[in-house]
Amino acid sequence: MSHKAGFVNIIGNPNVGKSTLMNAFVGERLSIITSKAQTTRHRILGIVNGEDFQMILSDTPGIIKPAYEMQASMMNFVKSAFEDADILIYMVEIGEQDLKDEAFFNKIIHAKIPVLLLLNKIDTSNQDKLEEQVAFWAEKVPNAEIFPISALQNFNVPEVFQRIISLLPESPAYYPKDQLTDKPERFFVNETIREKILLNYSKEIPYAVEIVTEEFFEDESIIRIRSLIMVERETQKGIIIGHKGAALKKVGVDSRADLEKFFGKQIHIELYVKVNKNWRSNVNMLKRFGYNQ
């Protein structure tokens, strides 16, 4: 029996539903999902295995015009998604008109590989608007197959999944068949904590934060975690901690609940906050956090 395997890379503007789609395909919450833009900072692989196929999905940061060094590094992850893709998913939402970077758009319309354009969030629209949008994108990206979907409601998602399988090239598996992702456990601890900060704090706070898990000790019944929340200014540190530590405690409680589901074990988590001025523009710090790879 022949076997198929390939890299399916998902690109698009911020907050169009890329992470929701990948998590729907993989069946695990590998990418964090919030209503705030720039939620995904890294390129995250999710691996879906079947008896005769392996689909390697890549969720990338939303395309933006970089304002500082960290965002430039995030866009490098998007560039790399064009280089190794067997299938490209370009995700847009109802009402969207163009990509925030013309160079990326030119790469999409001149791609030599299959392109699936997913028109997401159709549950927020009506039939006339949907038909208008399909016609618009058919003209704008003539090389793409268009699928109206709702990633959140799982509408048309199984059909897209089957179409991807049909387009995968014949190849042996790239990863062991029991592997879910290419990221280590600490990465998902960091992302879970960062998600809770995105959900619990406003303004610039979530975007000035990076998480480093310094200790991850696992035994049969419990995982003990110690993580650092890094901010850029003393005032941000005070906001993260909150009155009598209440805000930081909530982040810890919420993170523990999600991590216990993810790992299937009891979690003990300890959080502390440290100031590192302008880390988002510090090349050495960004390398430490895995941005400049």
Side-chain angles (χ1 to χ4, degrees):
M1 184 174 64
S2 64
H3 187 278
K4 295 178 146 197
F7 290 82
V8 182
N9 299 344
I10 309 168
I11 64 165
N13 285 332
N15 215 28
V16 294
K18 299 183 297 296
S19 298
T20 306
L21 178 74
M22 189 176 89
N23 290 340
F25 282 161
V26 177
E28 294 279 349
R29 291 182 74 251
L30 297 182
S31 294
I32 64 174
I33 304 164
T34 77
S35 60
K36 297 183 180 179
Q38 299 176 45
T39 302
T40 301
R41 288 181 178 174
H42 296 264
R43 186 177 171 192
I44 304 166
L45 296 190
I47 304 165
V48 185
N49 292 294
E51 192 175 330
D52 58 351
F53 74 89
Q54 183 175 81
M55 185 188 300
I56 304 147
L57 295 148
S58 179
D59 182 21
T60 59
I63 294 171
I64 53 174
K65 289 196 177 297
Y68 43 83
E69 189 66 32
M70 186 187 80
Q71 290 184 340
S73 298
M74 287 162 59
M75 291 307 95
N76 286 334
F77 289 127
V78 181
K79 287 175 188 172
S80 71
F82 284 95
E83 292 164 9
D84 61 14
D86 295 299
I87 300 165
L88 194 64
I89 292 180
Y90 174 32
M91 202 157 179
V92 300
E93 63 177 74
I94 288 284
E96 190 177 320
Q97 296 296 313
D98 52 45
L99 206 55
K100 289 186 167 66
D101 188 305
E102 196 63 33
F104 283 130
F105 189 75
N106 283 329
K107 285 187 176 186
I108 294 167
I109 61 176
H110 293 107
K112 305 296 185 192
I113 56 173
V115 177
L116 305 184
L117 190 149
L118 306 188
L119 181 55
N120 193 26
K121 305 185 183 179
I122 64 168
D123 49 308
T124 64
S125 185
N126 57 50
Q127 189 63 31
D128 289 343
K129 179 71 172 174
L130 176 57
E131 289 174 7
E132 177 190 307
Q133 288 276 286
V134 169
F136 172 83
W137 287 111
E139 184 177 347
K140 191 125 176 149
V141 192
N143 58 317
E145 287 184 58
I146 299 175
F147 289 83
I149 70 162
S150 170
L152 194 62
Q153 304 294 332
N154 206 41
F155 175 79
N156 235 10
V157 171
E159 288 77 7
V160 174
F161 187 84
Q162 290 303 319
R163 181 57 180 146
I164 292 169
I165 291 175
S166 74
L167 291 169
L168 287 173
E170 288 202 4
S171 168
Y174 290 92
Y175 293 90
K177 282 290 192 129
D178 60 353
Q179 191 167 335
L180 186 68
T181 181
D182 65 328
K183 298 293 185 186
E185 288 95 339
R186 291 180 191 224
F187 177 84
F188 294 103
V189 174
N190 298 345
E191 288 292 273
T192 299
I193 297 166
R194 196 164 65 82
E195 178 188 52
K196 302 314 169 195
I197 290 170
L198 277 159
L199 292 170
N200 285 295
Y201 300 87
S202 59
K203 298 182 181 176
E204 90 285 356
I205 293 293
Y207 305 104
V209 162
E210 185 60 51
I211 314 299
V212 181
T213 294
E214 298 184 326
E215 294 179 5
F216 185 99
F217 298 119
E218 182 173 7
D219 61 30
E220 285 185 19
S221 59
I222 192 168
I223 301 173
R224 301 182 188 280
I225 296 166
R226 187 168 188 264
S227 298
L228 160 68
I229 299 172
M230 190 172 291
V231 295
E232 291 189 311
R233 297 196 300 273
E234 284 290 341
T235 52
Q236 294 166 347
K237 180 178 179 180
I239 293 168
I240 289 284
I241 293 170
H243 182 61
K244 294 184 178 179
L248 185 62
K249 183 179 179 182
K250 185 175 190 321
V251 170
V253 169
D254 292 351
S255 298
R256 186 180 70 229
D258 273 14
L259 290 169
E260 286 182 340
K261 289 178 192 170
F262 188 83
F263 290 110
K265 280 189 178 181
Q266 185 181 345
I267 299 286
H268 177 271
I269 188 166
E270 180 184 342
L271 301 176
Y272 67 105
V273 188
K274 182 180 177 182
V275 177
N276 193 314
K277 290 185 179 177
N278 300 319
W279 68 263
R280 287 183 292 179
S281 299
N282 184 315
V283 173
N284 290 329
M285 292 303 298
L286 291 170
K287 280 183 181 176
R288 180 190 173 193
F289 299 144
Y291 290 101
N292 294 354
Q293 294 180 335

